[in-house]
């Protein structure tokens, strides 16, 4: 087991090294002049020259690379051009928001998706099956930012049932410990703060949930269908076990396995969706931060994030593989 | 953003090549699809989309992105359906129907080019990796591993970020999004082809041919590769749907061609946002167009996969 | 049926949750306090502040909290850009414009209890002058660098105009300059030049830090004399300010002020409608009318900006004056404004707004006359000429709220007089500014400028002070006159020369000024007492929230 983990971690290293080199080359290949980006309309030739000198933009490429790598090894992932704040600090401040959002979205998708998938498998090939599959697919093919705008227009603007923006009402007094606002409210017993955070989560999470929903529905459907045809189910039936016992014990457990497997993939998709959704609701997670960074061409931010995401993503996949390895011993021998 | 389930999560072998081979496989698949309502719906949508995209200029007499009637648009009103413009004007003063029709063209071009790019490069990489891996030996395994390392790097980043990075480097022109989305699809095809090639490496017929004395290379090229065509077509269809959505997402983020009036569905969504209160149809029409088109390709692709997959055949 | 339909079970749970959600009223309760005042005022800007030490900033969103926390020696008369006493209740200027003596307000304290006096004033001025070289780049200290021309050290040390500051007595400070600077008094109203507490600066600030914007002082201990003090900043959430009870002027009526950032103008409008915020800045032109109809208060700032159509004379046929005049006559400014800017916007007749020194209506005018435009084009042999028209996408500036719409209208008008327009769209960041200001590669283009303080040189000098890539011309008369005007000691003496320059510019016509777009703010009807300022000098101590 330990060897498995170590081997996987070792494989991570060349990937990250290669990525950092690629990213360095990438930032330098980008169009646009970082000094001019920094100064905007106020740029003058002298001003630009001063910035270049001060920040080392005019140094030879090799020199810049050395500076970059040294900083990376010290844990300095760069600072935003716009605000000067270290990328990792910004990330740390906003990550809980997106994590909270993603978690809720995934929960919604599982709670709604697994039963729907089961239904579809039971009525495979018939109209209900097509309806469920098409319905969940419709959620995913609708661009998530479009869906977010629609949800906001209907439920927040026109009907006024839910708030239109932000993570929390500015007037609610909330103490933040973990920066997971719902959790913080519960920890500090500020129930109204917790509730306020929940209602601000509803619409963005619903929009985001449509992404994993389709996958979960279809995975559940596929694996339920597969298991239901397996010999051991028929044998159990022949032995007289009631059908409800069979399903609960065997079918669902086997069906949930692939859902767990794809959580790594889902995390990546949820993250991409968050970049497009958070801005609509001014949700202030890393999704929105990245969206702004792309728009403002704040490349150090993107660069730092990509490396960090690569690490997180790889670790998630590793964890999932480990979990799968625990559950299914066949995998471990690879 | 991939919207399909990776094949590995569904079933390890997607093709039992012992049972049906060549034309019989396709004829059987086609028969099964005819009976499947999902396939029919998908096929109809795809057909509709292709017709509109290909015969676009015949369906409208106006030019796309012309902004000819910009004088009629004000910050608080956008002319709706009228005699000359059956879907009204868009935010910049072009004819909405024309924008949608030419937008279908753009989506088709963007989708096909990027998927073709992803497919050729990805399939080539995956086939090489898988082929060498199937042959085995030290050199073969080395090639396999090296290529898949590169693929791993690409997969380590969420595909949207990958596409954004590439589009940013390529600058604000119409090729950047196509290439970016295409490159982001390379890992999917690479994995698919490699898996398919390796999976078949253990198949009975390959072992038998090997015992008969056929050289490994000929087995790979002559038999293993053709059997990978089916899943590749399925993946390409599904990826086309993803490509259409990803192109819209990249436009939303402000990448690609800078001209905001250009007829492309993602662009139209961006422009429609700040007039949403006043004229929701500006956003709803392209949004539905994207969703329905992607849905059609996905349904068709999924149905095709199921039809080709021996395990779900009853 | 294998077991009780999971769908019904989940559906019931789902319905119950939905009912709970909806019954928990989502409408935010305004915290309006009692009728004696109090309450929390919530305002939405378009972005978060980048720092709380205003000396290191130059953007409006960072200045917004700075205006509440800090004050300078000089302020503005409410609703205007004219200088008025603030921390300095009076001042005298020597005839040669090199010596300024300030009489300071009595009984003023910083938020940390330090006394405000002449020593504090000199501490601030000397601090700025002695900034280490690492802090002398334009992204950090644009204002000081542009106004005072240089620092004690660095490559601009010889050009620096600051000489010294002396504390004559407790409440009198004398500033000496090396060269006259007519805009000095007006410039002191900039938030970047606010008075900050020497005690707090010594304790928490580090000007030589690799990023002075993120030091302890700049992120959590900004200390000024203003009506509000800094309470907290939760990045990604809000800035919280609390009333400073020992304020020397009119104390704030509300207990707290909160600033949140919502990037999209439409989302800001929606948040106002749903009660989550009490007011916001930068209302989109499309929202002004509807918000007013719904009973919200729209406040228009007097325009302190200009939007223009620049013409690059390095490119033919724009070097021909007849062609430039033709373009000017082809434009129907009213139509341009109604299609892409807020309703109150005035058409522009010169490159500075009305309230800036040197404005005169006695300039050559180019009223809409398409026939004349066609005729001029024929005379110049440019009938049917192809001209590149550059415009930015992906941006909205206060002086240029919707560039794509502005572009479309102008293009139609120019094509109507026979010009062949080749549109060139570029993303604002990174390409547009680079192309327009960094290269000669552009034809006619849209750009503008918001003034920082009331000094004509801040407009005309920036545009036409020297040859640039943007305008592509060399006109020694204009360059020379602007140099001369800059050297004149007081605004009053500068006025006639600037009026002449305005006439010269409109005669030479390097570009066509289009309008002065009016930036608007929107408030809930319960908000009373807000005072607008064309230079955004808007402290909130006058605001109260009524029930």
């Amino acid at each position: 087991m330990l060897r498995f983990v170590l081997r996987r971690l070792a494989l991570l290293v060349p990937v990250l090294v290669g990525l950092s080199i690629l990213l360095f080359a990438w930032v330098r290949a980008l169009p646009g002049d970082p000094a001019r980006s920094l100064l905007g309309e106020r740029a003058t030739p002298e001003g630009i020259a001063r910035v270049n000198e001060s920040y080392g933009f005019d140094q030879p490429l090799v020199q810049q690379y050395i500076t970059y790598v040294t900083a990376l090894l010290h844990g300095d992932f760069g600072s935003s051009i716009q605000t000067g704040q270290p990328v990792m600090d910004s990330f740390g401040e906003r990550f809980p928001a997106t994590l909270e959002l993603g978690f809720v979205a995934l929960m919604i998708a599982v709670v709604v998706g697994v039963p729907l998938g089961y239904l579809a498998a039971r009525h495979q090939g018939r109209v209900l099956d097509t309806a469920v599959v098409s319905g969940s697919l419709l959620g995913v093919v609708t661009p998530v930012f479009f869906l977010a705008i629609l949800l906001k227009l209907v439920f927040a603007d026109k009907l006024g049932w839910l708030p239109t923006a932000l993570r929390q009402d500015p007037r609610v007094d909330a103490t933040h410990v973990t920066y997971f606002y719902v959790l913080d409210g519960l920890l500090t017993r500020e129930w109204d703060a917790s509730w306020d955070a929940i209602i601000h989560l509803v619409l963005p999470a619903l929009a985001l949930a449509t992404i994993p929903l389709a996958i979960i529905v279809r995975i559940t459907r596929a694996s339920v269908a597969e298991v239901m045809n397996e010999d051991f189910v028929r044998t159990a039936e022949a032995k007289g076990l009631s059908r409800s016992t069979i399903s609960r014990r065997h079918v669902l457990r086997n069906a949930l396995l692939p859902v767990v497997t794809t959580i790594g993939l889902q995390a990546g998709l949820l993250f991409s969706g968050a970049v497009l959704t958070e801005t609509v609701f001014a949700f202030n997670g890393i999704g929105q931060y990245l969206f702004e960074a792309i728009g403002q061409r704040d490349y150090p931010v993107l660069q730092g994030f990509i490396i960090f995401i690569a690490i997180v993503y790889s670790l998630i996949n590793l964890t999932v593989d480990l979990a799968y390895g625990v559950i299914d011993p066949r995998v471990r021998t690879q | 953003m991939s919207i399909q389930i990776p094949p590995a999560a569904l079933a390890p072998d997607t093709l039992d090549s012992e049972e049906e081979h060549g034309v019989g496989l396709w004829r059987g698949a086609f028969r099964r699809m005819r009976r499947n309502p999902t396939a029919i719906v998908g096929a109809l949508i795809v057909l509709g989309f292709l017709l509109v995209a290909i015969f676009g200029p015949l369906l409208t007499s106006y030019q796309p992105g012309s902004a000819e009637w910009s004088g009629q648009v004000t910050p608080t009103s956008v002319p709706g359906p009228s005699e000359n413009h059956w879907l009204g004007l868009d935010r910049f003063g072009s004819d909405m129907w024309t924008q949608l029709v030419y937008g279908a063209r753009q989506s088709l071009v963007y989708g096909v080019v990027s998927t073709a790019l992803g497919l050729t490069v990805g399939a080539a990489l995956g086939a090489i990796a898988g082929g060498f891996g199937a042959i085995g030996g030290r050199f073969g395994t080395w090639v396999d591993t090296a290529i898949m390392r590169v693929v791993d790097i690409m997969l380590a980043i969420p595909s949207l970020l990958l596409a954004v990075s590439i589009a940013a480097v390529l600058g604000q022109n119409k090729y950047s999004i196509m290439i970016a989305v295409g490159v982001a699809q390379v890992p999917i095809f690479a994995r698919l082809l490699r898996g398919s090639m390796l999976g078949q490496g253990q198949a009975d017929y390959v072992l038998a041919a090997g015992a008969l004395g056929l050289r490994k290379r000929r087995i790979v090229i002559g038999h293993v590769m053709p059997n990978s065509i089916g899943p590749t077509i399925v993946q390409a269809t599904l990826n086309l749907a993803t490509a259409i959505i990803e192109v819209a997402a990249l436009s939303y983020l402000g990448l690609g061609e800078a001209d905001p009036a250009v007829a492309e569905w993602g662009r139209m969504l961006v422009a429609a946002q700040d007039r949403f209160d006043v004229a929701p149809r500006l956003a709803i029409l392209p949004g539905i167009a994207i969703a329905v088109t992607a849905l059609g390709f996905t349904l068709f692709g999924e149905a095709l996969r199921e039809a080709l997959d021996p395990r779900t055949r009853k | 049926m294998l077991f009780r339909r999971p769908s019904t079970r989940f559906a019931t749970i789902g319905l119950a949750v939905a009912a709970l959600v909806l019954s928990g009223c989502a409408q935010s309760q305004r915290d309006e306090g009692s009728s004696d005042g109090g309450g929390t005022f919530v305002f939405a800007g378009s972005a978060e502040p980048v720092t709380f030490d205003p000396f290191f900033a130059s953007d409006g969103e960072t200045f917004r909290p700075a205006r509440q926390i800090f004050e300078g020696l000089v302020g503005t008369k409410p609703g205007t850009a004219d200088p008025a006493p603030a921390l300095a209740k009076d001042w005298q200027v020597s005839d040669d414009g090199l010596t300024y003596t300030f009489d300071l307000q009595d009984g003023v304290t910083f938020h940390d209890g330090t006394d405000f006096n002449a020593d504090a004033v000199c501490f601030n001025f000397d601090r700025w002058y002695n900034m280490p070289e690492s802090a002398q780049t334009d992204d950090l200290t644009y204002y000081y660098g542009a106004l005072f021309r240089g620092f004690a050290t660095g490559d601009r040390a010889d050009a620096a105009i600051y000489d010294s500051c002396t504390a004559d007595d407790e409440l009198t400070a004398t500033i000496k300059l090396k060269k006259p600077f007519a805009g000095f008094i007006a410039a002191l109203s900039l938030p970047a030049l606010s008075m900050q507490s020497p005690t707090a600066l010594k304790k928490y600030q580090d000007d030589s830090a690799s990023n002075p914007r993120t030091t302890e002082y700049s992120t959590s201990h900004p200390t000024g004399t203003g009506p509000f003090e800094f309470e907290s900043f939760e990045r990604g959430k809000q800035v919280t300010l609390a009333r400073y009870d020992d304020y020397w002027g009119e104390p704030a009526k509300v207990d707290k002020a909160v600033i949140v950032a919502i990037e999209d103008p439409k989302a800001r409008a929606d948040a106002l409608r749903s009660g989550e915020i009490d007011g916001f800045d930068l209302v989109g032109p499309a929202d002004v009318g509807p918000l007013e109809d719904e009973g919200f208060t729209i406040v228009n700032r007097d325009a302190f900006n200009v939007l223009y159509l620049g013409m690059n004379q390095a490119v033919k046929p724009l070097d021909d004056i007849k062609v430039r005049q033709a373009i000017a006559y082809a434009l129907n400014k009213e139509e341009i404004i109604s299609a892409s800017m807020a309703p109150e916007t005035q058409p522009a007749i010169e490159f500075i707004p009305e309230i800036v020194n040197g404005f005169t209506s006695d300039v050559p005018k180019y009223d809409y006359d398409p026939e004349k435009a066609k005729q001029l084009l024929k005379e110049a042999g440019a009938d049917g000429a192809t001209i590149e028209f550059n415009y930015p996408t992906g941006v909205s500036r206060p002086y240029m709220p919707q560039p794509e719409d502005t572009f479309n209208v102008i293009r139609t008008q120019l094509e109507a007089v026979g010009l062949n327009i080749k549109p060139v769209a570029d993303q604002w960041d990174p390409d547009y500014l680079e192309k327009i200001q960094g290269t000669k590669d552009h034809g006619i283009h849209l750009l503008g400028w918001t003034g920082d303080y009331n000094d004509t040189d801040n407009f005309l000098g920036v545009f036409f002070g020297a040859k640039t890539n943007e305008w592509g011309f060399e006109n020694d008369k204009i360059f020379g006159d602007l140099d001369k005007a800059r050297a004149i000691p007081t605004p009053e003496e500068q006025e006639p020369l600037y009026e002449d320059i305005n006439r010269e510019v409109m005669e030479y016509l390097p570009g066509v000024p289009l309008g002065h777009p009016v930036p608007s703010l929107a408030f809930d009807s319960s908000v009373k007492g807000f005072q607008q300022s064309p230079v955004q000098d808007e402290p909130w101590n006058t605001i109260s929230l009524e029930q």
Side-chain angles (χ1 to χ4, degrees), chain C residues 240-293:
Chain C
T240 312
L241 309 170
R243 175 180 57 230
Y244 178 51
D245 292 312
D246 291 324
Y247 179 57
W248 63 276
E250 189 190 328
K253 301 193 174 63
V254 298
D255 297 324
K256 284 197 206 239
V258 167
I259 305 175
V260 294
I262 300 178
E263 204 210 343
D264 180 39
K266 227 197 125 303
R268 291 198 286 277
D270 292 331
L272 182 67
R273 287 185 175 107
S274 70
E276 289 156 83
I277 58 177
D278 297 313
F280 68 96
D281 197 357
L282 300 171
V283 185
D287 293 319
V288 172
L291 282 174
E292 229 168 358
D293 292 337

Side-chain angles (χ1 to χ4, degrees), chain A residues 1 24 28 132 142 151 191 227 275 284 296 327-328:
Chain A
M1 192 48 143
F24 175 79
R28 304 258 151 352
V132 165
T142 311
L151 282 175
W191 312 120
V227 170
V275 171
N284 277 319
Q296 291 165 359
I327 300 169
D328 185 353

